[in-house]
Amino acid sequence: EPEFKYISTMHGDEVVGVENCLKLIDLLTDNYDSGTPDSALAHLVDEVEIWIMPMMNPDGNNAGGRYNANGEDLNRNFPDSIDDPVNTPAGREPETGAVMIFSDSMSFDLSANFHGGALVVNYPSDNRPERAPDDSLFINMSLAYSRPNAPMYNSASFDSGITNGWDWYETHGNMQDWNYDYMYNKEVTIEVSDTKWPPASQLPGFWDDNRESMIAYLEYCLRGVRGVVTDSVTGVPLLATVSVDGNTWVDRTDPDVGDYHRILDPGTYTLTFSSPGYVSKEIPGVVVTSGFATVQDAQLAMAQQVMVTGIVTSDTMSPLLASVDAYYHPSGGLADSTTTDPGDGSYSLDLTQGEYDLEVRSDGYAPEFMYAQIMSDTTFDFALVPVSGTILVINDDSGKRLLSKSGETEIEYVEKDATLAASDIVADLEMLGYAAVEEPAATTDTKTWGSYDLVVWSSANNTSPVSSSAYRDNLIDFVQADGRLLIEGGETAYDAASSPGYPNFADSVLHIDTWHGDNVGTLGLDSGQTGHQIATSPNSLPGSIALTYSGYGDEDAAHPSGGAYIIYGTASYPADAGVLVYDDGGVGGSGGTVFFAFSYSAVSDRGVARNLLENAVTYLTDDLSGVESVPVARAGVTLRSVSPNPFGPATRISFSVASREKVRLAIYDVHGRAVKTLINQAVEPGLHEVTWNGLDASGREIGPGIYFFTLADGENIVTRKIVRLR
């Protein structure tokens, strides 16, 4: 059966949808098996798996307001393909996370969410001007809802009672776009009443207006093309993608039974079915009518088994202990993973014919990445070069981003989770040959900072950057002890020099005395610094660097204080810095500091951003006169990576130890109950990797949700959150 859902009242004060959802439940159940059943309604219940959530935000509803109990707008809290692309419930509001985990446990094909404040069906996309690949289908589905609803269809504000989201007003982090972009599910947003909280006496009229519309939209689940994708020999259902020629949106089967339900307008289509490890099948001439869905099954033959072998060595040809992972291209699913024989560096991967992304990592060496189309037994050797340095990237994501929004009944100011640049910085550092370790600001241990070649503090477009006095004190102590620091963030200067104002931090760490503005335009190379290392080495940077400004937190203009100087100024304030440098080169004074007064992710050209980063890191890690690193011992066990996270079938946790250590790695649920101990023994020096396949200590598969693991030696312990998806 296709799977369908209605959700209402994610804004607590938009209540008509609650009553309509309850009425729909009554309508379907009362007419399914009664004395005079409605055969069309009974058919819907028989043929569609229907889920209804009448109220997503009970706390907001109880308080009579838009936001949840934490003051958050739930319809700005979902992952967003433009400015919040990490598809994880971790760190989101509890209602958002619950809906995300629930949706992932299902395979919804069609859905809608109900709001109030207007009369219109709003269809994707809200976050970009480009029309969705299924634009014509969305228009027809929206009209299916609006036509039976006379007040909506005859709207004086919206043609036929429908609108494209971007044409109405831009939003990010909404549930509609998240479903379409990430969950293989088509969803629209339906505004069912001009008044958000009308008198109860008007509710029967709203139900009369929307009853036939709710049924007509639900019926779209039964249109298009449907079928089952299976293994051609065993008949086992497959997790497969279903592509339509000429349409870039890709559907996916439900892996439990292998079924798909691709809703399409009437026409003749070519379908392509693909599954990792299988030969793709193209089926032309599939005819779709305006009636019930055409049935088109597909049986896929397993691709030929191939073996990838090789050796991993250092650049001096010494064999290395390394992890070698193969990911399906472009889906990113893990195909096979292994560890080299440390004696000779040899490895072997068992794959099927197809396209892969190979990733090779060894502690102390720069990782290597390679795309390969592998159709037969193949040998790939890798010679890894030592890392240029080990860099700690501290992710300061505690604040919010303030965006102005208009388009409903009033202008609102919506707090939105900051888009983080830390992940971009880590990825670019690895591409540049550095070992990068990311830690959250709340849990980073200052005692370890001095063991790194460089510390990067990343606040991105967080509009409450370095908000904790402890954070600021730690950074002040670090630079005054000659630590080398790269700090970035598009509101860092504003908070420090203007409001709420941290004068000691502004002077000691940022080396600024004044803030002058946001959205200050293109960065321009200062005429007196054209030969500076940050502008020239190892990359020759352009005379101007463009930034993409999308809201407060992307860009500042900061005036340097004594001893600091500008590498790049700003278009609006040429005497203010976009890139600022301070280095007095003396022990007991301050070590090298570079300040990016913008979010690293706001640099329009990713190649330019990477070149700027490399130049700044090279400058800071060169032997600056008189600068000494802070002598701090490195922890015995060091977490290297957790990938993928969130995970489906399995995740890999890698760590290293500097000397022989007893290490314990254990999984816990959110209540602190032990799930499984993965390792509890002495391990040899070097890189280690443990794969967890989602089974508990009894061999039972755990459910989706949030879990934690602890990695500990005799003196140190690291705790991280991991998320299990279906």
Side-chain angles (χ1 to χ4, degrees):
E1 295 177 345
E3 296 171 28
F4 178 92
K5 72 173 182 286
Y6 273 137
I7 291 181
S8 183
T9 312
M10 60 194 312
H11 292 151
D13 59 345
E14 299 170 9
V15 298
V16 172
V18 177
E19 306 299 329
N20 286 347
C21 282
L22 294 173
K23 286 290 188 181
L24 179 63
I25 292 170
D26 285 342
L27 181 69
L28 294 175
T29 54
D30 289 349
N31 284 277
Y32 181 72
D33 192 19
S34 63
T36 57
D38 185 313
S39 59
L41 295 176
H43 179 75
L44 275 178
V45 175
D46 285 338
E47 296 300 323
V48 181
E49 184 172 325
I50 304 169
W51 291 80
I52 300 176
M53 182 187 294
M55 187 180 294
M56 182 177 163
N57 184 4
D59 291 334
N61 180 260
N62 190 57
R66 177 185 183 92
Y67 306 106
N68 75 345
N70 293 330
E72 295 293 334
D73 187 334
L74 300 180
N75 209 29
R76 306 294 183 270
N77 190 238
F78 282 84
D80 184 274
S81 60
I82 302 300
D83 67 359
D84 188 8
V86 181
N87 186 29
T88 174
R92 303 187 189 276
E93 292 303 300
E95 299 90 344
T96 307
V99 168
M100 289 178 67
I101 292 171
F102 165 64
S103 298
D104 186 73
S105 71
M106 309 296 294
S107 293
F108 287 112
D109 301 288
L110 184 64
S111 59
N113 66 91
F114 291 110
H115 291 256
L119 275 176
V120 67
V121 181
N122 177 104
Y123 57 88
S125 295
D126 286 335
N127 61 3
R128 53 189 180 271
E130 297 81 14
R131 289 305 188 251
D134 290 294
D135 186 61
S136 65
L137 176 63
F138 274 122
I139 291 172
N140 289 331
M141 291 193 301
S142 299
L143 288 170
Y145 193 98
S146 70
R147 280 196 187 101
N149 188 324
M152 181 182 289
Y153 188 73
N154 296 316
S155 167
S157 302
F158 303 97
D159 185 18
S160 302
I162 69 173
T163 183
N164 171 266
W166 180 272
D167 290 350
W168 189 10
Y169 63 92
E170 175 186 2
T171 68
H172 291 267
N174 62 74
M175 186 164 65
Q176 164 189 282
D177 286 352
W178 172 74
N179 273 288
Y180 188 60
D181 291 344
Y182 289 97
M183 300 307 295
Y184 308 94
N185 174 34
K186 297 178 175 70
E187 178 166 307
V188 299
T189 301
I190 305 175
E191 305 270 356
V192 292
S193 61
D194 285 318
T195 303
K196 293 184 177 183
W197 201 307
S201 60
Q202 296 180 12
L203 292 177
F206 284 118
W207 170 239
D208 288 342
D209 291 338
N210 286 275
R211 179 178 58 244
E212 295 305 319
S213 296
M214 294 177 78
I215 294 298
Y217 184 77
L218 199 163
E219 285 176 337
Y220 249 91
C221 254
L222 300 175
R223 301 191 183 194
V225 60
R226 61 189 293 185
V228 178
V229 183
T230 56
D231 184 296
S232 61
V233 176
T234 66
V236 171
L238 297 178
L239 173 61
T241 58
V242 183
S243 303
V244 176
D245 189 32
N247 186 319
T248 57
W249 192 80
V250 177
D251 207 350
R252 185 181 67 174
T253 62
D254 183 334
D256 296 333
V257 291
D259 67 319
Y260 73 94
H261 301 265
R262 182 66 183 259
I263 304 170
L264 293 168
D265 287 324
T268 301
Y269 299 92
T270 296
L271 305 184
T272 300
F273 301 88
S274 303
S275 182
Y278 288 81
V279 178
S280 297
K281 175 176 283 189
E282 182 180 285
I283 301 179
V286 179
V287 177
V288 172
T289 68
S290 59
F292 291 134
T294 300
V295 176
Q296 180 61 67
D297 297 332
Q299 296 80 38
L300 303 185
M302 184 173 289
Q304 179 181 328
Q305 292 292 123
V306 294
M307 181 174 290
V308 176
T309 57
I311 59 172
V312 180
T313 65
S314 69
D315 56 343
T316 60
M317 300 308 294
S318 299
L320 293 178
L321 172 64
S323 63
V324 184
D325 301 322
Y327 298 92
Y328 293 110
H329 180 89
S331 68
L334 181 65
D336 195 17
S337 177
T338 190
T339 302
T340 60
D341 182 333
D344 60 8
S346 63
Y347 74 92
S348 176
L349 295 170
D350 292 318
L351 305 172
T352 53
Q353 294 173 324
E355 296 177 275
Y356 295 92
D357 293 303
L358 303 181
E359 182 177 311
V360 184
R361 293 178 179 270
S362 182
D363 191 28
Y365 291 83
E368 190 161 330
F369 309 92
M370 184 180 73
Y371 161 80
Q373 186 176 41
I374 303 171
M375 304 306 292
S376 60
D377 291 348
T378 308
T379 297
F380 293 121
D381 294 334
F382 297 91
L384 306 186
V385 298
V387 294
S388 303
T390 304
I391 297 174
L392 174 64
V393 179
I394 300 172
N395 190 340
D396 174 21
D397 66 348
S398 60
K400 304 296 176 185
R401 179 184 182 190
L402 196 66
L403 296 173
S404 63
K405 183 186 74 67
S406 62
E408 295 185 1
T409 55
E410 69 275 346
I411 295 178
E412 301 165 337
Y413 288 90
V414 179
E415 284 189 338
K416 184 184 185 304
D417 287 334
T419 299
L420 306 179
S423 58
D424 288 340
I425 292 173
V426 168
D428 284 351
L429 287 173
E430 288 192 337
M431 289 186 65
L432 295 170
Y434 293 92
V437 177
E438 182 179 347
E439 293 181 352
T443 59
T444 185
D445 184 355
T446 57
K447 295 191 299 295
T448 69
W449 289 9
S451 63
Y452 293 92
D453 297 288
L454 176 67
V455 171
V456 177
W457 187 280
S458 172
S459 292
N461 58 18
N462 179 351
T463 53
S464 298
V466 208
S467 56
S468 162
S469 60
Y471 295 171
R472 298 191 295 275
D473 290 344
N474 290 337
L475 287 168
I476 291 170
D477 291 344
F478 179 68
V479 297
Q480 288 184 345
D482 301 324
R484 304 179 190 185
L485 176 70
L486 170 62
I487 183 167
E488 65 87 43
E491 280 288 88
T492 309
Y494 172 77
D495 274 27
S498 180
S499 176
Y502 314 125
N504 191 20
F505 177 75
D507 181 61
S508 302
V509 176
L510 303 182
H511 301 285
I512 64 172
D513 54 26
T514 311
W515 171 88
H516 278 136
D518 294 300
N519 194 14
V520 290
T522 299
L523 305 183
L525 182 60
D526 187 270
S527 59
Q529 301 296 335
T530 56
H532 194 281
Q533 182 176 341
I534 288 182
T536 61
S537 182
N539 307 293
S540 179
L541 296 182
S544 61
I545 298 176
L547 299 176
T548 301
Y549 185 87
S550 60
Y552 298 114
D554 279 333
E555 183 183 15
D556 271 342
H559 190 269
S561 57
Y565 53 95
I566 297 171
I567 305 298
Y568 276 89
T570 65
S572 300
Y573 299 91
D576 283 6
V579 178
L580 177 149
V581 169
Y582 181 91
D583 172 35
D584 74 359
V587 177
S590 178
T593 303
V594 174
F595 175 36
F596 293 171
F598 53 85
S599 168
Y600 180 75
S601 297
V603 178
S604 303
D605 188 314
R606 302 309 312 146
V608 170
R610 191 177 305 115
N611 288 343
L612 172 63
L613 178 66
E614 184 176 21
N615 287 12
V617 170
T618 302
Y619 170 76
L620 287 167
T621 55
D622 274 355
D623 290 330
L624 302 177
S625 174
V627 178
E628 299 176 357
S629 62
V630 181
V632 179
R634 187 185 296 273
V637 61
T638 301
L639 177 66
R640 292 301 179 186
S641 67
V642 185
S643 180
N645 186 22
F647 71 99
T651 187
R652 295 166 293 114
I653 302 168
S654 65
F655 62 92
S656 62
V657 293
S659 59
R660 181 178 171 84
E661 299 274 359
K662 182 176 181 180
V663 174
R664 186 174 190 272
L665 176 60
I667 309 292
Y668 298 88
D669 65 15
V670 292
H671 303 292
R673 295 177 298 221
V675 175
K676 187 173 185 178
T677 298
L678 301 179
I679 187 171
N680 188 21
Q681 65 186 48
V683 299
E684 298 301 321
L687 177 69
H688 299 268
E689 186 170 87
V690 178
T691 298
W692 182 40
N693 57 5
L695 302 182
D696 65 14
S698 301
R700 294 188 297 266
E701 185 171 1
I702 65 164
I706 297 173
Y707 295 83
F708 296 86
F709 72 82
T710 61
L711 175 66
D713 59 18
E715 298 180 357
N716 306 281
I717 185 168
V718 177
T719 300
R720 291 289 187 272
K721 181 188 295 183
I722 50 177
V723 180
R724 177 85 193 278
L725 301 180
R726 184 168 59 91

